């Protein structure tokens, strides 16, 4: 009665694990009844397929429920009218029913001939959607058996199935580290995708092995002898390259068969990691190694946990061959991937023995650390591999993969930067949502755009999750908003500089920022402001450099010193009286008054006072950034005092002057300085300080500090300076 599954049962018994053979037998009977009267293309009874799949699953030493699910995997699909899942659940329990359900759903997912990017997403989706990793294991076994028997299928179907296997299932097996299944899937696929190429390579391999039988045997024998001599326990495998792996090398690297380097390979399996390195040493002693071909995947495992030492050496007659060295455990992981861990967990070894290097997998199952029941463990082993990704659909049904926590803005930029830049809103599953809405796997996302959209907002930089979206938004700002960026960047740098405590002039600031820019390889201060403004560089990243240059440029003892390179200008220092009586400050009298260097208030300006430590009250303009930015600081709020000029428009008559700063942007010509000094001399305005700064070959900035009576005096000076032909712009203060 059970003769059809006698081999399966033998396999299970030989593992020595506590399989529930009765349950497996009844799953077999159940499946046999459902598939009764069905035949495969080969003419065999259909039940032969689920049995074969169950045998492959048994080879992975998966649990009882997995074997049952393998036997039952096609029952729902093939007999949908006659039974449903609840019947399976009634007979075999919920776990088996869920596995069969998962397997049925995968069949229903139609994987068509799509672009490669979409195939990758489908692959991930497949994983993410099957809640239990055993579904994938069984599905891969199912596909493997279908590939082994593909020849019986109608010819037009073979290619489509082979293509799907090559693009979806083989990479999936690779991802899970299931090398053996992956290689067999690839080899079978190749037979149908390029029958001629497959046959050529296969014959070449036969020929080459035939020709060099002696070489291979000699290498084997000498390695075996040497390892035994060193008292190493080992297993040696030769001939491990598959047709597909050679084929892929030839076509990827456009080489002829004879140019394939690592055609021969030996695999040496030893007991301990230390022995791996010992064996490596012995191999390198015996043969010359090919430089650059040694790879230590033991200390640095591949992402799918593959571990091994690889080296290529030259044998007698100059024939190169590859040697792979690994422990038995590494070998099992290499062949069976995550499924191998299942083996360890289910009783063969204690948890403590699990190599540290497997901690990645251990992490997957952390929640189950206290359960020793293997069935329970495997049941709750959820697919966590893509736990950090979200899969959503475009309205057309394409799958887009985004990091967990991505928003509709990320989605828009993932489609195209033009979509993101014209985005005005979004819909999820047909409903309008806020643009910062976080996407969930399975959402259908539609981006609403308008040709008149103003473009991204700077706030979006804080909302988006993906680097792609962030970069595209920055690119937009970089391109579209230079002048705005410069203002934003300037404000951010100002905020940092002000933290340094000492006051500084605009001239000094310009020097500081220019120096920092140079150190960063950025041309000019404005370019640095721009970069910070569009978010290309965080201001926090340059604080150290700013501080450094600040200390260099703004030296406390030199704060009054003239910074100029214009020698021909004679500076006259008139008596500059600090006219404290000109200002009225609220509250008590008797404050010592000081005019703030940052904004140099003139009579006529709206002003405010600030109680400084040890200096009395310093007077700022009300539009001074120092006041604007610090007024609301709770620590200082009591130190700001109301202030006004006693008589702001009256020339004090005693020659009292205030420092005023004028920044002149002008065309750089030889007469400029002469014109400026002449104009000032005519107005009897004294120059306290002058400096120039070349912006380009044609343009220059002159920073002037002059003695000035009040705001109206200042205005008349400026209008006089503006009448100089080469002057095109004047600003108060050195900004
Ligand atoms: Mn099947």
């Amino acid at each position: 009665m059970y003769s059809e599954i006698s081999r399966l049962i033998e396999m299970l018994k030989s593992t020595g694990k506590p399989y529930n053979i009765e349950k497996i037998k009844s799953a077999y009977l159940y499946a046999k009844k459902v598939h009764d009267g069905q035949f495969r293309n080969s003419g065999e009874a259909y039940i032969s397929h689920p049995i074969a799949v169950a045998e492959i699953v048994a080879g992975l030493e998966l649990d009882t429920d997995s074997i049952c699910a393998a036997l039952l995997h096609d029952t729902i699909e093939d007999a949908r009218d006659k039974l449903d899942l609840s019947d399976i659940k009634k007979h075999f329990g919920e776990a088996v029913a869920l596995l069969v359900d998962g397997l049925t759903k995968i069949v229903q997912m139609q994987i068509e001939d799509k672009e490669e990017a979409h195939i990758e997403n489908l692959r991930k989706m497949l994983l993410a959607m099957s809640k239990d990793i055993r579904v994938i294991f069984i599905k891969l076994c199912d596909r493997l058996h279908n590939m082994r028997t593909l020849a019986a299928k109608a010819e037009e179907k073979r290619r489509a199935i082979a293509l799907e296997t090559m693009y979806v299932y083989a990479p999936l097996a690779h991802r899970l580290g299931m090398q053996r299944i992956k290689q067999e899937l690839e080899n079978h696929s190749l037979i149908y995708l390029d029958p001629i190429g497959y046959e050529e390579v296969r014959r070449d391999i036969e020929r080459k092995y035939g020709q060099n039988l002696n070489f291979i045997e000699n290498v084997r024998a000498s390695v075996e002898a040497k390892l035994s001599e060193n008292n190493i326990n080992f297993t040696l495998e030769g001939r491990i390259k598959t047709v597909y792996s050679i084929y892929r090398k030839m076509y990827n690297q456009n080489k002829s068969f004879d140019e394939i380097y690592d055609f021969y390979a030996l695999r040496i399996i030893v007991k301990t990691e230390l022995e791996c390195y010992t064996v490596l040493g012995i191999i390198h002693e015996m043969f010359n190694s090919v430089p650059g071909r040694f790879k230590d995947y033991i200390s640095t495992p591949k992402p799918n946990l593959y571990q091994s030492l690889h080296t290529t050496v030259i044998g007698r007659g100059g024939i190169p061959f590859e040697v792979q060295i690994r422990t038995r455990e590494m070998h099992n992981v290499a062949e069976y991937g995550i499924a191998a861990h299942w083996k360890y967990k289910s009783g063969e070894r204690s948890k403590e023995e699990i190599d540290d290097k497997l901690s990645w997998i251990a992490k997957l199952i952390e929640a189950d650390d206290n359960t020793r029941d293997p069935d329970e463990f495997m049941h709750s082993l959820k697919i966590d591999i893509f736990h950090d990704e979200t899969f959503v659909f475009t309205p057309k049904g394409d799958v887009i993969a985004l990091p967990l926590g991505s928003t509709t803005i990320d989605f828009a930029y993932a489609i195209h930067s033009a979509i993101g830049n014209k985005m005005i809103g979004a819909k999820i599953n047909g409903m309008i949502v806020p643009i910062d809405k976080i996407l969930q796997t399975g959402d259908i996302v539609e981006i609403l755009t308008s040709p008149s959209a103003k473009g991204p907002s700077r706030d979006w930089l804080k909302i988006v999750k993906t680097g792609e979206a962030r970069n595209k938004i920055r690119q937009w700002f970089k391109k579209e908003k230079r002048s705005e960026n410069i203002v934003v960047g300037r404000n951010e740098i100002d905020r940092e500089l002000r933290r340094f405590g000492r006051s500084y002039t605009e001239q000094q600031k310009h020097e500081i920022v220019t120096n920092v820019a140079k150190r960063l390889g950025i041309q000019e201060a404005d370019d640095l402001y721009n970069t910070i403004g569009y978010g290309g560089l965080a201001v926090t990243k340059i604080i150290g450099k700013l501080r450094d240059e600040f200390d260099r440029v703004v030296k406390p003892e030199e704060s009054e010193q003239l910074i100029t390179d214009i020698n021909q200008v004679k500076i006259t220092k008139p008596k500059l009286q600090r006219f404290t009586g000109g200002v009225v400050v609220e509250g008590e009298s008797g404050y010592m008054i000081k005019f703030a260097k940052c904004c140099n208030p003139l009579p006529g300006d709206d002003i405010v006072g600030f109680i400084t430590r040890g200096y009395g009250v310093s007077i700022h303009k009300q539009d001074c950034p120092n006041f604007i930015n610090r007024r609301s600081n709770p620590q200082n709020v009591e130190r700001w005092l109301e202030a006004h000029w006693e008589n702001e428009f009256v020339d004090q008559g005693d020659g009292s002057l205030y420092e005023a700063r004028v920044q002149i942007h002008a065309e750089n010509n030889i007469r400029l300085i002469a014109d400026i000094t002449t104009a000032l001399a005519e107005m009897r305005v004294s120059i306290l300080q002058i400096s120039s700064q070349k912006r380009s070959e044609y343009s220059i900035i002159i920073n002037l500090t002059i003695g000035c009576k009040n705001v109206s005096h200042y205005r008349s000076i400026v209008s006089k300076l503006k009448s100089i032909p080469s002057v095109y712009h004047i600003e108060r203060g050195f900004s």
Side-chain angles (χ1 to χ4, degrees), residues 40 46 49-50 53 70 73-74 78 107 138-139 141-143 145-146:
R40 304 200 82 213
Y46 195 87
H49 166 63
V53 175
H73 80 269
D74 279 335
D78 289 350
V107 175
I138 300 166
K139 183 64 205 172
C141 296
D142 177 30
R143 177 52 61 116
H145 185 246
N146 285 336

Side-chain angles (χ1 to χ4, degrees), residues 33-194:
K33 207 170 128 209
V34 172
H35 293 303
D36 189 37
Q38 293 176 347
F39 295 92
R40 304 200 82 213
N41 296 87
S42 62
E44 285 175 283
Y46 195 87
I47 190 67
S48 64
H49 166 63
I51 292 172
V53 175
E55 286 176 3
I56 302 172
V57 172
L60 294 174
E61 298 183 24
L62 299 188
D63 61 339
T64 297
D65 284 349
S66 303
I67 308 283
C68 291
L71 288 166
L72 297 165
H73 80 269
D74 279 335
T75 55
I76 301 276
E77 180 66 13
D78 289 350
R80 186 129 357 113
D81 302 335
K82 280 178 269 170
L83 77 150
D84 61 31
L85 216 57
S86 61
D87 198 52
I88 302 242
K89 188 171 160 183
K90 199 174 80 200
H91 284 86
F92 304 102
E94 182 153 21
V96 174
L98 283 174
L99 292 176
V100 174
D101 186 42
L103 287 158
T104 307
K105 279 187 181 136
I106 292 179
V107 175
Q108 287 161 357
M109 277 181 69
Q110 281 304 312
I111 299 165
E112 287 155 31
D113 203 356
K114 291 210 175 193
E115 288 168 53
E116 214 160 322
H118 289 140
I119 286 169
E120 174 61 17
N121 286 338
L122 276 167
R123 216 148 45 210
K124 292 178 179 179
M125 187 117 170
L126 205 61
L127 270 179
M129 278 176 47
S130 33
K131 294 277 156 49
D132 188 323
I133 201 164
R134 288 177 297 182
V135 171
I136 301 292
F137 291 160
I138 300 166
K139 183 64 205 172
L140 287 170
C141 296
D142 177 30
R143 177 52 61 116
L144 181 56
H145 185 246
N146 285 336
M147 291 308 294
R148 284 176 183 171
T149 55
L150 193 61
K153 274 257 185 221
E155 189 160 359
E156 66 273 14
K157 285 194 173 171
R158 290 180 205 159
R159 200 182 148 79
I161 294 173
L163 207 64
E164 190 184 72
T165 303
M166 191 65 104
Y167 285 136
V168 180
Y169 289 100
L172 197 56
H174 177 70
R175 196 132 210 178
L176 296 170
M178 302 167 80
Q179 219 48 30
R180 181 166 286 198
I181 287 181
K182 175 207 161 199
Q183 286 175 348
E184 200 181 335
L185 288 174
E186 286 170 342
N187 257 343
H188 282 302
S189 300
L190 185 61
I191 294 172
Y192 301 99
L193 294 176
D194 183 359

Side-chain angles (χ1 to χ4, degrees), residues 403-544:
L404 201 69
S406 292
T407 63
T408 63
I409 304 173
D410 293 290
F411 177 88
Y413 280 100
I415 303 290
H416 198 280
S417 49
I419 304 282
N421 291 339
K422 291 286 168 207
M423 174 176 186
I424 51 164
K427 281 182 180 178
I428 291 180
N429 306 326
M431 307 275 285
I432 300 247
V433 295
I435 54 169
D436 60 353
K437 178 86 179 170
I438 289 173
L439 305 175
Q440 307 294 328
T441 289
D443 282 346
I444 300 167
V445 188
E446 188 185 342
I447 299 300
L448 309 172
T449 59
S450 158
S452 58
K454 283 198 219 91
S457 135
R458 283 180 204 274
D459 295 338
W460 291 12
L461 288 169
K462 290 174 202 137
I463 296 169
V464 296
K465 177 87 180 172
T466 57
E468 185 186 11
R470 202 167 293 123
N471 285 338
K472 285 177 174 174
I473 294 168
R474 282 178 188 150
Q475 283 308 316
W476 187 87
F477 277 108
K478 188 178 177 182
K479 237 173 90 185
E480 307 283 329
K481 297 277 167 181
R482 181 173 163 95
S483 55
E484 198 180 289
N485 295 336
I486 290 175
V487 174
V488 171
R490 197 189 288 274
N491 287 341
E492 289 203 28
I493 286 188
D494 268 334
R495 204 176 305 133
E496 288 308 322
L497 291 179
R498 265 180 247 121
R499 286 184 215 277
F500 299 156
R502 263 171 283 149
S503 66
Y504 50 90
T505 63
E506 283 297 319
Q507 170 71 36
Q508 287 171 326
K509 180 175 100 184
H510 188 81
E511 192 180 340
I512 293 164
V513 176
T514 303
N515 291 349
V516 171
K518 293 259 161 62
R519 286 168 67 171
L520 292 165
I522 294 171
Q523 285 267 308
E524 288 183 33
D526 274 359
D527 296 324
L528 178 58
Y529 289 135
N530 182 36
T531 306
I532 288 175
Y534 74 74
L537 178 69
V539 74
T540 49
K541 293 260 168 68
I542 58 166
I543 288 175

